[in-house]
Amino acid sequence: MTTTVSTTGEVTRSIDISNAKIHCPLLASTYQEVLRKCSIGTSIREVNQDTILNNQWLLKKDALIQMPTSVIHRDPSVWGTDVDEFNPRRFMKNEPQKTENGKKPNPAAFRAFGGGTTLCPDMVPTAGGGECSMPTTERTKQAAIILEPDHDIEVEISAREGFEDGRWAFGLKDSGMIFAMITEDED
């Protein structure tokens, strides 16, 4: 965070969100875990050559395959026995993993926006009465990638003591990407 004071005395506190991934690893990990639990997108890939899956299914060259992210994100063989639990530390670099082999999940398993490097960042926090709850698809549009909450969310935001004056500004100045908070395909 940087603080500047204009010649008129107006205070501006600026936060570069692209730095949050480095300087706030728990926030970044929590954000990715929310996306893992709430994304309902689909990855679409073209088959490069005839391929037989499980000695049973033929995927023809040039066919399109749709892979729902919700299936990938809920697979205990990828994410471990705690796959259904919300684990805000799941994406932290030095956190022990609960996968069957004790290794981190393959980076390709995280498909919050349906593709490789982040395609369309969005996040819908879901809280009701102070408790976090997973939304259903009742109010979510068919083309959505993130589940919309089933009810309105009441949020109270107040300035921290000592930061009541001035204004806040958020930006992505130090990022070569549109949004560098999370990335797919990276460790």
Side-chain angles (χ1 to χ4, degrees):
M1 178 182 79
T2 58
T3 303
T4 57
V5 180
S6 70
T7 56
T8 61
E10 182 182 27
V11 175
T12 302
R13 292 182 178 83
S14 301
I15 296 177
D16 187 337
I17 295 173
S18 58
N19 290 323
K21 185 174 184 179
I22 297 165
H23 299 293
C24 305
L26 182 56
L27 174 65
S29 179
T30 300
Y31 181 58
Q32 287 189 252
E33 182 69 347
V34 166
L35 293 173
R36 184 188 73 83
K37 295 283 287 178
C38 295
S39 64
I40 56 171
T42 301
S43 291
I44 299 174
R45 299 292 184 265
E46 183 176 351
V47 179
N48 293 329
Q49 62 187 25
D50 286 358
T51 305
I52 297 177
L53 292 179
N54 201 28
N55 290 324
Q56 182 175 353
W57 306 102
L58 173 62
L59 305 178
K60 296 289 286 178
K61 182 182 184 311
D62 299 324
L64 296 178
I65 302 296
Q66 293 186 1
M67 301 168 286
T69 58
S70 58
V71 173
I72 298 167
H73 290 166
R74 289 176 178 86
D75 186 342
S77 70
V78 173
W79 298 98
T81 56
D82 69 340
V83 68
D84 294 324
E85 297 172 28
F86 183 86
N87 177 358
R89 297 179 177 277
R90 187 180 308 274
F91 289 90
M92 292 183 74
K93 299 257 184 241
N94 298 321
E95 199 67 22
Q97 301 298 311
K98 293 184 180 179
T99 57
E100 291 176 14
N101 60 10
K103 294 182 179 179
K104 292 178 69 170
N106 185 317
F110 181 63
R111 288 285 178 255
F113 304 113
T117 304
T118 302
L119 298 175
C120 182
D122 192 7
M123 182 176 91
V124 179
T126 59
E131 295 293 320
C132 290
S133 59
M134 286 300 299
T136 64
T137 56
E138 188 173 310
R139 289 180 54 182
T140 303
K141 315 295 185 287
Q142 184 173 357
I145 292 178
I146 304 294
L147 291 170
E148 293 181 27
D150 293 332
H151 50 81
D152 289 339
I153 301 169
E154 292 185 25
V155 177
E156 182 178 325
I157 300 174
S158 59
R160 182 188 245 176
E161 187 176 328
F163 294 89
E164 299 91 348
D165 61 333
R167 67 182 193 92
W168 288 88
F170 299 89
L172 298 166
K173 297 178 199 123
D174 293 339
S175 175
M177 301 168 64
I178 293 173
F179 194 76
M181 183 66 174
I182 68 125
T183 50
E184 297 172 338
D185 297 335
E186 287 187 11
D187 283 331

